[in-house]
Amino acid sequence: MSERSRHVAVVGMAGRFPGAADVRAFGRNLEAGVESIATLDEEQLLGAGVPRGLLSDPSFVRRGALLSGVDLFDASLFGFTRREAELTDPQQRLFLETAWEA
């Protein structure tokens, strides 16, 4: 393998982060020291399926890294039916969107 064939060029980069819709916004947040981890209230935690008994545990941490727009997946862009998109793990949908953006 020649020296030249080992080089890699990054030609695109994409990402979505808590409090930042893209890589540039994430970089700005890092530079500004923006805290993107949210404190969640009891209603949010119960809505997310956290058992009520766990909320009274003093070691339970009521914080989360929330991503916005996860529910906005464009199923037809990726050849999914609406039902297939609903059944697909949100992390998989987010991966597909981010890969397409990059």
Side-chain angles (χ1 to χ4, degrees), residues 23-97:
V23 174
R24 287 182 195 265
F26 181 63
R28 287 191 303 268
N29 284 353
L30 287 176
E31 288 175 357
V34 172
E35 175 62 64
S36 296
I37 305 300
T39 299
L40 307 173
D41 63 28
E42 188 170 302
E43 184 179 319
Q44 289 172 302
L45 293 166
L46 291 171
V50 174
R52 186 172 293 281
L54 188 56
L55 298 178
S56 60
D57 183 340
S59 64
F60 180 71
V61 178
R62 296 174 179 233
R63 307 271 287 161
L66 307 176
L67 291 177
S68 62
V70 175
D71 58 332
L72 301 177
F73 182 72
D74 185 351
S76 62
L77 176 67
F78 296 98
F80 285 64
T81 65
R82 183 176 172 169
R83 182 68 178 144
E84 288 171 327
E86 289 172 355
L87 295 173
T88 302
D89 187 310
Q91 294 178 81
Q92 178 68 24
R93 296 190 313 250
L94 181 62
F95 170 76
L96 291 170
E97 290 174 327

Side-chain angles (χ1 to χ4, degrees), residues 1-8:
M1 181 181 274
S2 73
E3 183 67 29
R4 186 176 192 154
S5 66
R6 287 188 240 166
H7 295 281
V8 175

